[in-house]
Amino acid sequence: MQHDLCNKFFQYWEESRQGDALPSLDAFSGDVLASYGECGLIFKLQHGDIVLSYCGEQYAQVLNSDSVGKPLTDLFPLALKALQMSLLMPCFRQNIGMARLSRVCHGHRHKDVEWLMLPVLDEKTGEIALVGLSVTFTKFDERDSITIGSTLVERIMRQNFLSLDNPVDLSVIDSHSWAVLDTMGAQITVDGTLVSHTTNGLVGAAAVAVSKVAQANVLAVADPSEFGRVLSRLGARYNLKIVQTCEEARAILKADMIDVLVTTESIDGTSGSQLIQDMQQISAFTACVMMLNPKDTAEDTRVVEQDGKFVQCLVKPVGEFALRKALDDANDHVVKRRFDNIQKY
């Protein structure tokens, strides 16, 4: 786990065990869960559905509807419901836990979310429930709302099943769900070891939903005329936002998760180099592509520093193929860094 609250919660869960037995659900009262940043969750299995039985105030601010008592999968598009069921059902059936790191799109921005769900015994019913947290690495924004019927897009980066000394059987994840996970670029592991599986192609509504969230999140700070006739094609290939001032760019970089920043050598009186320096102070992972003004000393260059900072410079005029390749290379670098960072935990 990456978030301190998740690590502390796991420790409390372990301390609540009596020998090899699962902790009791009674050990996770509302007061106890509230002490973990009001991010607590309880899931129960009812009539074949995974139902949200409890959520903390922090999570309730995001779920601006009466979601308690309703199936968790109602928050996801129909094409992705089966995937969510297959990734949680083994925890109920096999007394195992899971830790998931995802990127979630709320419409106005993206943010990283870490889930930790662990099995407990509901002594009133004799059934297994899941208790845990859903925490973010950014401050709450009142626009971070998810309602029943809305399209919640979640790119799963990694889900690590925690065996808790139990055997783990993931046969419930069918070939279609594996294809969805592969399209996301997700890593599925058991106690940190990658799970092997058969890879198939993905088609249909799930392919549309997942391919969009798997695209690079690109912020361009330039006059739209800089991109000419390729603008619409770039918009189809990436999650693209275009602004024309550094002030707008800084606000987005602070609020959203940008994979690649595209800038020109000068923007509204500020140098592109200064904007890149500002960006590197705000975001540890964002890569940059800068389009240079043509002059004798200007040349295409790529700089990757030891701390992972990535800057690709292209001399204008920049062709569509060269720009797309630079954006793809920058995004590949960012994705690799993110996964390398995940491996530390």
Side-chain angles (χ1 to χ4, degrees):
M1 283 79 72
Q2 294 195 25
H3 203 288
D4 287 343
L5 283 177
C6 289
N7 286 299
K8 291 177 181 177
F9 187 87
F10 186 81
Q11 182 178 355
Y12 174 76
W13 180 89
E14 285 192 313
E15 292 171 351
S16 301
R17 301 185 72 172
Q18 295 182 353
D20 293 332
L22 291 176
S24 169
L25 178 58
D26 292 339
F28 297 86
S29 65
D31 289 340
V32 170
L33 292 175
S35 67
Y36 292 92
E38 291 285 2
C39 298
L41 298 171
I42 299 177
F43 294 140
K44 293 184 178 180
L45 198 58
Q46 297 179 2
H47 309 295
D49 278 327
I50 298 172
V51 173
L52 179 61
S53 176
Y54 168 90
C55 71
E57 289 298 321
Q58 184 69 28
Y59 205 70
Q61 288 181 296
V62 176
L63 299 176
N64 289 338
S65 61
D66 185 15
S67 300
V68 174
K70 295 179 181 176
L72 170 72
T73 53
D74 283 0
L75 297 173
F76 295 88
L78 178 63
L80 301 180
K81 289 179 183 291
L83 171 67
Q84 293 297 334
M85 289 291 288
S86 67
L87 291 178
L88 278 172
M89 197 61 75
C91 299
F92 287 99
R93 299 302 190 195
Q94 301 168 43
N95 296 356
I96 62 177
M98 73 89 168
R100 178 190 296 180
L101 185 64
S102 300
R103 174 178 292 189
V104 176
C105 176
H106 287 287
H108 72 106
R109 70 166 178 173
H110 299 73
K111 62 181 182 181
D112 277 352
V113 176
E114 186 167 39
W115 294 40
L116 172 65
M117 301 304 303
L118 297 166
V120 295
L121 178 64
D122 184 351
E123 294 179 341
K124 295 178 182 178
T125 64
E127 301 290 334
I128 298 300
L130 297 180
V131 299
L133 307 177
S134 175
V135 296
T136 68
F137 299 84
T138 55
K139 292 183 179 179
F140 172 74
D141 186 304
E142 62 183 9
R143 294 174 294 171
D144 293 346
S145 61
I146 303 170
T147 57
I148 298 295
S150 68
T151 301
L152 172 61
V153 182
E154 177 190 26
R155 180 183 181 183
I156 299 170
M157 305 295 287
R158 184 188 190 190
Q159 176 155 323
N160 184 33
F161 287 98
L162 308 172
S163 70
L164 308 175
D165 298 323
N166 294 310
V168 178
D169 179 4
L170 299 182
S171 59
V172 68
I173 307 178
D174 61 18
S175 59
H176 177 78
S177 294
W178 278 119
V180 173
L181 292 166
D182 288 341
T183 303
M184 290 181 178
Q187 294 181 349
I188 304 300
T189 61
V190 175
D191 294 337
T193 300
L194 278 172
V195 176
S196 61
H197 61 277
T198 302
T199 302
N200 295 312
L202 181 61
V203 297
V208 176
V210 175
S211 61
K212 183 65 176 175
V213 74
Q215 293 173 352
N217 205 20
V218 178
L219 173 64
V221 192
D223 190 296
S225 63
E226 294 280 0
F227 301 99
R229 292 173 294 178
V230 307
L231 187 59
S232 62
R233 292 194 291 275
L234 290 175
R237 187 179 179 90
Y238 311 102
N239 292 312
L240 178 65
K241 295 179 182 179
I242 297 181
V243 297
Q244 298 187 45
T245 69
C246 292
E247 182 179 358
E248 293 173 289
R250 292 188 186 99
I252 292 174
L253 286 165
K254 290 177 180 178
D256 201 352
M257 297 188 64
I258 300 300
D259 296 308
V260 185
L261 172 70
V262 182
T263 179
T264 51
E265 193 169 354
S266 58
I267 315 103
D268 68 286
T270 302
S271 71
S273 297
Q274 182 60 54
L275 179 59
I276 292 173
Q277 292 178 27
D278 294 345
M279 175 271 293
Q280 290 173 341
Q281 294 296 318
I282 296 170
S283 171
F285 288 101
T286 303
C288 185
V289 174
M290 184 164 65
M291 297 188 291
L292 302 175
N293 297 326
K295 52 188 175 184
D296 292 341
T297 57
E299 60 181 9
D300 292 355
T301 57
R302 177 182 300 177
V303 178
V304 181
E305 299 181 9
Q306 288 186 345
D307 59 2
K309 295 174 182 176
F310 178 107
V311 179
Q312 170 83 55
C313 295
L314 301 174
V315 180
K316 294 189 290 187
V318 180
E320 179 180 357
F321 176 79
L323 180 57
R324 281 170 43 187
K325 186 177 187 311
L327 292 176
D328 289 344
D329 289 349
N331 184 55
D332 288 345
H333 174 82
V334 169
V335 170
K336 183 178 184 304
R337 281 197 69 206
R338 287 190 182 278
F339 277 116
D340 287 347
N341 189 60
I342 289 172
Q343 302 304 331
K344 299 176 184 177
Y345 297 88

